[in-house]
């Protein structure tokens, strides 16, 4: 039926010698015969599987050489086989279409995300980089200031030590002079 797809068909077949007779179908309006029960891949046609008594679903190449999804079953006590089939390409076409739509949308979203990232995050990264550079510069300036302050503190300590030395040295020299004068006035008897 066309509702099932343009390649959908129901095939009834029968064994005939080493080959298969296919009854008329929607896609093949005249009966036809295949000498082999095997397709070009060396696998049995779906109709051959049905004629062998198998029931179920298969994916295989049909008598046209097309890869099909087929439901198979024997009928009439195994003398005939029935196959309901549709081309895999037709089954997968909507999935492929949806896949490409989804892939396109995903790529579009990735591109949009990249643009947004560049527009909003890139300036932040640049700002952080500039802040880090300014912080490193400030750190270096603080180290230089600390070294300069340490140098100034050492110089101040040296100056204070010199003042104390000079002041005490002068005072001790004056005391020593007074002691000498006193000792010369009093005499050695004392």
């Amino acid at each position: 039926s066309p509702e099932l797809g343009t390649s959908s068909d129901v095939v009834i077949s029968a064994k005939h010698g080493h080959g298969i007779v296919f009854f008329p179908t929607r896609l093949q309006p005249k009966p036809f015969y295949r000498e082999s029960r095997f397709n070009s891949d060396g696998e049995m046609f779906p109709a051959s599987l049905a004629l062998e008594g198998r029931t179920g679903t298969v994916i295989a190449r049909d008598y046209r050489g097309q890869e099909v999804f087929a439901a198979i079953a024997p009928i009439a006590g195994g003398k005939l086989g029935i196959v309901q089939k549709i081309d895999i390409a037709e089954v997968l076409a909507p999935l492929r279409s949806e896949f490409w739509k989804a892939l396109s949308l995903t790529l579009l979203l990735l591109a949009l995300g990249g643009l947004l990232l560049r527009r909003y995050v890139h300036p932040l990264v640049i700002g952080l980089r500039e802040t880090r550079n300014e912080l490193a510069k400030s750190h270096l300036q603080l180290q230089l200031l600390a070294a300069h302050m340490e140098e100034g503190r050492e110089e101040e300590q040296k100056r204070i030590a010199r003042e104390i030395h000079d002041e005490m040295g002068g005072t001790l020299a004056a005391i020593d002079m007074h002691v000498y004068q006193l000792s010369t006035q009093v005499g050695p008897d004392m």
Side-chain angles (χ1 to χ4, degrees), residues 107-122:
L107 292 175
L108 178 65
L109 289 174
L110 283 173
L112 183 60
L115 289 174
L116 289 173
L117 203 62
R118 178 152 179 83
R119 178 175 170 99
Y120 294 108
V121 175
H122 187 68

Side-chain angles (χ1 to χ4, degrees), residues 7-8 62 64 66-69 85-92:
S7 67
S8 173
D62 69 0
R64 299 170 300 145
Q66 296 297 313
E67 191 171 32
V68 297
F69 178 73
K85 65 184 183 76
I86 187 168
D87 291 356
I88 291 288
E90 185 174 357
V91 171
L92 295 180

